[in-house]
Amino acid sequence: MSGFLRSVVVLLGMLAMQWVFADGQVLDWLQRMREAERQVSYAGRLSWMDGEDLAVARIVHVFGADGVHEVVEPQRGDWVQLRRDGDRLSTFRQSGGDAVAGADAPFAYPFVQSLIRGVPSMDIYDVSLASAERVADRPAVCIAFAPRDDHRYARRIWLDAATALPLRGETTAANGRHLDVFELSELRLGDQVKLPESPPAEARVSATAPGGTEAPGGQDGQLDWEATWIPPGFRLTLRGADQPGAPVVRPDVAMYDDGLASFSIYVEPAVQGVETGMESRRGATVVVDQLVEAGEGKQGIVTVVGEIPPLTARRILNGMRLRSGNR
Amino acid sequence: MSEQLREALSAVLDGEADEFTLRRVLDETSRNVELRDTWARYSLIKATLRGDADAAVLASSLALRRRVREALAVDEPALVSDPAAPAPLPARSGRSTSRWSVAIAATVMLGAGIAVYFSGVAPSTTTPSLAVVERPVVPLFDGPASQRVSSGNGVAELQRDEALRRHEAYLRMHLRQAAASGYGPVAATRMLALPASESSQLRDGVAPR
């Protein structure tokens, strides 16, 4: 396609989008986005700017008569392939070894669904169609999620005008600073998209059922706890004991989600010599912790990790109540 | 007051400011009445929204700004004499120290806001607690932990190094759970892009004791 023709197509696309904005059909666009994974096969390059670091993965999504297939291959470090074939999830690693930390947890939902899990409540986000722009060399429509309180970040997501696939997303702090950015570029669509061959079986290291929540833990030494304050709009999506990668002991965990952002609360018995009170961050994700009295001379360490403002994380920490004794 | 300055102040209060912005705002507060008023007003709004007016007053106090100056360890006299203020923090040197002190200074400036959140649990205070000063923001997975938490004190350094490793381990766990419970390829890509842990025990999922 010549440069002139491409410009005309882009211009027409943008004009069409302007008409759509006037109609204000935000929810229709979100619905189209969620349906896109069952209507179109695509492949592209998924880039994620995490603070000052860039993560890149190749993504191939094929929808056929036998359902959804999706392959994600991060482009850094040892070779890893995360693969979805219908409801079957697999992780393949180089030589079947354990070169990559924590790679044994394949994704529960395909890429598109994982960006927005349902339509976030209008009570917590002001959702609007913001502008028409060219993104990743394609006409796109931008949907803005402006938080109605201080307890979450603003998000914008650009959907492909033709397919409603997400092309770009941004998370920004209240001062407008970008905390993270993703972009799906070099997009290929339709019949030209082919699924990579499945790696040899010996490279497969795990298979996990999709989604689901873990059962409550209940082990010796754990502390009962209650979060007396959770930011409005966040709902509990997971409660149980986490095991792999636990830094000190197996902590109790709860995860909360508002449809766009999530945070986790980890509770563990305090260990002598462990310093708490530090605040750290990577991209939009903040980590804060605090020593909390549990009564009967016991203490616990509460850690909050999530894509929420630091002050909100601190407020969650300060609302934590711990009690000693096994559940 | 210019929009740029307003944004800089907002960044400072949100803990998002770099060293240059922080120093610029501090310098401006010593000669710009409007900026001081805006600082107080922003803090008051934040505090009022959270139901704690004491913290708002604290945020605009001269003592707080003096503490920020001390945290930055600037080679200039304090702007005001405040006999009630605690002794200055010890001066540090070097690149990592600069980053550390900016983080501390930014955290002190956030003290009022943080104190607001403490107010529901801890007794209300009229000066920023040292606990607030102990909470600089540290970037995760940004080079060896020991370079980011250097304090010159061997024991404290080890503890902070260990604390940072804990945070990095918890970040991995959060992303893994996010990937498994709904955030999918995005969280998985973020997780797999993280550098390998410095601790082989953490890398293998074994709890260090």
Side-chain angles (χ1 to χ4, degrees):
Chain A
M1 187 186 294
S2 73
F4 173 73
L5 210 54
R6 178 176 293 189
S7 301
V8 169
V9 169
V10 169
L11 188 62
L12 286 175
M14 288 182 172
L15 286 173
M17 288 310 98
Q18 294 293 354
W19 177 80
V20 172
F21 295 157
D23 213 22
Q25 296 179 342
V26 182
L27 296 182
D28 286 350
W29 274 103
L30 293 177
Q31 186 61 31
R32 278 190 62 193
M33 185 190 102
R34 291 180 64 78
E35 292 170 355
E37 69 183 24
R38 293 196 168 273
Q39 294 181 342
V40 64
S41 296
Y42 65 90
R45 177 183 161 97
L46 176 62
S47 306
W48 189 280
M49 181 62 79
D50 215 4
E52 296 180 354
D53 203 8
L54 178 67
V56 180
R58 182 168 73 119
I59 183 166
V60 180
H61 176 102
V62 173
F63 176 66
D66 57 344
V68 168
H69 301 266
E70 196 165 279
V71 167
V72 176
E73 291 179 347
Q75 303 289 288
R76 183 197 279 181
D78 294 318
W79 177 83
V80 177
Q81 185 184 95
L82 306 175
R83 191 178 183 105
R84 161 184 291 278
D85 296 294
D87 289 337
R88 181 181 176 81
L89 305 172
S90 309
T91 300
F92 297 88
R93 296 186 199 171
Q94 204 163 33
S95 308
D98 58 353
V100 179
D104 53 351
F107 42 93
Y109 295 93
F111 168 62
V112 171
Q113 277 191 51
S114 69
L115 287 175
I116 301 179
R117 306 196 302 149
V119 177
S121 168
M122 299 293 177
D123 292 337
I124 54 174
Y125 289 101
D126 179 10
V127 188
S128 62
L129 282 166
S131 61
E133 293 177 40
R134 190 167 70 94
V135 173
D137 203 24
R138 298 177 66 85
V141 51
C142 176
I143 298 176
F145 300 83
R148 295 185 188 275
D149 59 27
D150 295 337
H151 303 308
R152 63 210 88 228
Y153 292 125
R155 309 248 178 168
R156 288 196 295 171
I157 187 164
W158 283 260
L159 304 183
D160 180 43
T163 63
L165 285 170
L167 296 177
R168 182 182 170 90
E170 293 177 355
T171 305
T172 51
N175 61 5
R177 178 184 166 205
H178 284 163
L179 298 171
D180 61 34
V181 179
F182 82 83
E183 190 158 302
L184 180 62
S185 57
E186 300 172 17
L187 195 64
R188 291 181 290 119
L189 297 166
D191 294 339
Q192 57 180 315
V193 176
K194 303 293 180 198
L195 203 66
E197 287 296 315
S198 188
E202 55 267 27
R204 183 166 158 269
V205 292
S206 66
T208 307
T213 55
E214 298 174 36
Q219 63 181 62
D220 290 347
Q222 283 288 28
L223 301 164
D224 285 335
W225 62 270
E226 176 192 8
T228 63
W229 186 82
I230 295 296
F234 281 90
R235 63 183 182 84
L236 183 69
T237 58
L238 181 152
R239 175 79 194 259
D242 193 272
Q243 195 159 26
V248 181
V249 295
R250 186 180 177 188
D252 198 10
V253 60
M255 192 169 195
Y256 295 81
D257 189 321
D258 76 350
L260 289 177
S262 69
F263 68 86
S264 302
I265 300 174
Y266 299 95
V267 179
E268 64 196 271
V271 178
Q272 199 169 16
V274 173
E275 181 176 300
T276 58
M278 195 166 71
E279 182 175 310
S280 57
R281 161 178 282 185
R282 182 177 174 88
T285 308
V286 68
V287 185
V288 296
D289 60 17
Q290 185 168 295
L291 205 61
V292 179
E293 294 295 332
E296 298 177 8
K298 294 184 179 175
Q299 294 178 315
I301 298 175
V302 180
T303 307
V304 175
V305 189
E307 294 73 46
I308 52 177
L311 289 184
T312 299
R314 283 267 163 225
R315 187 168 174 186
I316 296 166
L317 273 185
N318 288 310
M320 291 293 292
R321 300 288 181 268
L322 268 55
R323 288 182 298 276
S324 64
N326 301 333
R327 284 180 304 234
Chain B
M1 184 172 62
S2 72
E3 188 60 30
Q4 272 188 329
L5 198 52
R6 199 185 305 275
E7 286 176 3
L9 176 60
S10 177
V12 168
L13 289 173
D14 287 341
E16 309 280 354
D18 55 22
E19 180 177 1
F20 175 79
T21 306
L22 190 56
R23 287 181 184 276
R24 181 169 153 237
V25 169
L26 280 170
D27 289 343
E28 281 292 327
T29 55
S30 64
R31 55 177 177 264
N32 187 330
V33 177
E34 190 187 358
L35 178 64
R36 277 204 300 273
D37 290 346
T38 305
W39 181 352
R41 198 165 62 250
Y42 279 9
S43 304
L44 185 61
I45 290 169
K46 283 191 168 192
T48 303
L49 286 173
R50 292 159 180 77
D52 189 331
D54 286 349
V57 174
L58 172 67
S60 60
S61 74
L62 293 172
L64 178 59
R65 272 181 285 139
R66 176 194 157 103
R67 281 192 160 202
V68 173
R69 287 271 180 201
E70 289 165 353
L72 278 170
V74 289
D75 296 330
E76 57 188 81
L79 292 172
V80 293
S81 172
D82 182 6
L89 296 172
R92 301 183 178 99
S93 60
R95 187 173 165 224
S96 64
T97 301
S98 170
R99 193 175 191 176
W100 195 239
S101 62
V102 170
I104 291 173
T107 311
V108 173
M109 291 190 79
L110 275 169
I114 293 171
V116 169
Y117 287 90
F118 286 165
S119 62
V121 178
S124 179
T125 59
T126 53
T127 55
S129 68
L130 283 177
V132 173
V133 180
E134 294 288 340
R135 290 194 188 97
V137 180
V138 182
L140 291 176
F141 298 102
D142 187 25
S146 53
Q147 287 180 13
R148 285 173 284 162
V149 296
S150 176
S151 65
N153 178 324
V155 176
E157 214 164 280
L158 278 175
Q159 286 184 331
R160 284 176 179 159
D161 185 278
E162 191 55 43
L164 196 55
R165 288 170 197 266
R166 282 185 71 254
H167 280 210
E168 290 179 344
Y170 273 125
L171 178 72
R172 283 186 201 278
M173 289 170 64
H174 170 71
L175 290 179
R176 184 167 51 75
Q177 282 157 359
S181 65
Y183 285 88
V186 166
T189 301
R190 290 185 66 199
M191 180 179 69
L192 292 169
L194 297 178
S197 169
E198 292 174 53
S199 161
S200 59
Q201 288 181 310
L202 293 185
R203 188 164 55 241
D204 296 334
V206 178
R209 279 292 214 165

